[in-house]
Amino acid sequence: MTRIGESAFMSCTSLESLTLPDSVTRIDYMAFASCERLKNITIPDSLYCIGAHAFNNCKSLENITLPDSITEIDSFVFHGCQSLKSMIIPDSVTAIHSDAFKKCSSLESIKIPESVDSIEWNAFKGCKKLTGITIPNGVTVISDSIFENCESLEHIKLPDSIDNIYNNTFAGCSSLEYITIPDAVKSI
């Protein structure tokens, strides 16, 4: 077995734990979406692709370790994973797509490597417990609503490479105490 197909386990609401075999290289679109009791998943180092919405609305997902073979975090992959508290993104990742961590309401910390040069709209929208984040050098644009409604966000470090900050980026960030806007920013 090399792939978990589209919607293969979608809405398997009693599934709590999963270990994928070393032969799996791909998890397709919505493969585990709405597996509301899924708490832990072990992903093999052979995995290189996690499709959009793969773990969307896995409300109980607490722990997932991404292998170094992953190159991007696709759209809505962890959207609505309300129990996910922390995430370390591997150094191999270059892009975090739209809504990737949206509504991960328990997410307190996330480590984004220097390899990331693209973070799309709504990526962290509604991550209510996120307190701080450092955006890596190389990212040039802060897209729409990336941190909207991150109520606990106190500080953010933006790199000098940022030249545009788009709509609603910090809307609803009621705890934001400190941010430095780089000189290169043309518009907010």
Side-chain angles (χ1 to χ4, degrees):
M1 175 173 60
T2 59
R3 76 188 308 163
I4 307 295
E6 184 175 317
S7 304
F9 293 92
M10 187 173 112
S11 297
C12 288
T13 56
S14 295
L15 183 63
E16 292 184 13
S17 183
L18 179 68
T19 299
L20 296 176
D22 289 340
S23 59
V24 174
T25 59
R26 181 180 183 89
I27 297 174
D28 285 344
Y29 175 80
M30 295 188 81
F32 298 99
S34 298
C35 290
E36 295 179 355
R37 290 189 186 161
L38 182 63
K39 288 183 182 178
N40 296 298
I41 183 165
T42 302
I43 294 178
D45 290 338
S46 58
L47 190 78
Y48 70 87
C49 179
I50 301 176
H53 296 265
F55 298 101
N56 187 7
N57 209 30
C58 289
K59 294 178 180 179
S60 300
L61 187 64
E62 296 174 350
N63 185 20
I64 187 166
T65 301
L66 300 176
D68 288 333
S69 50
I70 297 290
T71 58
E72 59 186 22
I73 309 293
D74 212 339
S75 299
F76 291 90
V77 168
F78 299 108
H79 174 267
C81 292
Q82 298 172 358
S83 298
L84 191 63
K85 290 185 180 172
S86 67
M87 173 66 69
I88 296 173
I89 297 175
D91 290 339
S92 55
V93 172
T94 60
I96 299 172
H97 293 286
S98 66
D99 303 276
F101 295 95
K102 183 179 178 182
K103 295 186 180 178
C104 290
S105 55
S106 295
L107 189 66
E108 297 171 356
S109 67
I110 187 160
K111 182 181 181 295
I112 302 174
E114 286 295 320
S115 57
V116 171
D117 60 15
S118 174
I119 303 174
E120 294 180 357
W121 60 95
N122 297 333
F124 302 103
K125 183 177 182 178
C127 292
K128 296 178 184 245
K129 292 191 178 178
L130 189 64
T131 58
I133 194 163
T134 298
I135 303 298
N137 286 318
V139 173
T140 58
V141 173
I142 298 294
S143 297
D144 294 328
S145 303
I146 283 185
F147 303 110
E148 185 175 346
N149 295 326
C150 291
E151 298 169 356
S152 299
L153 189 65
E154 296 174 354
H155 56 89
I156 182 166
K157 182 167 179 5
L158 298 175
D160 290 335
S161 57
I162 297 291
D163 59 15
N164 279 301
I165 299 174
Y166 286 99
N167 300 328
N168 301 315
T169 297
F170 306 109
C173 294
S174 55
S175 298
L176 189 62
E177 296 175 0
Y178 183 78
I179 184 170
T180 300
I181 307 295
D183 291 338
V185 171
K186 299 171 194 161
S187 67
I188 299 179

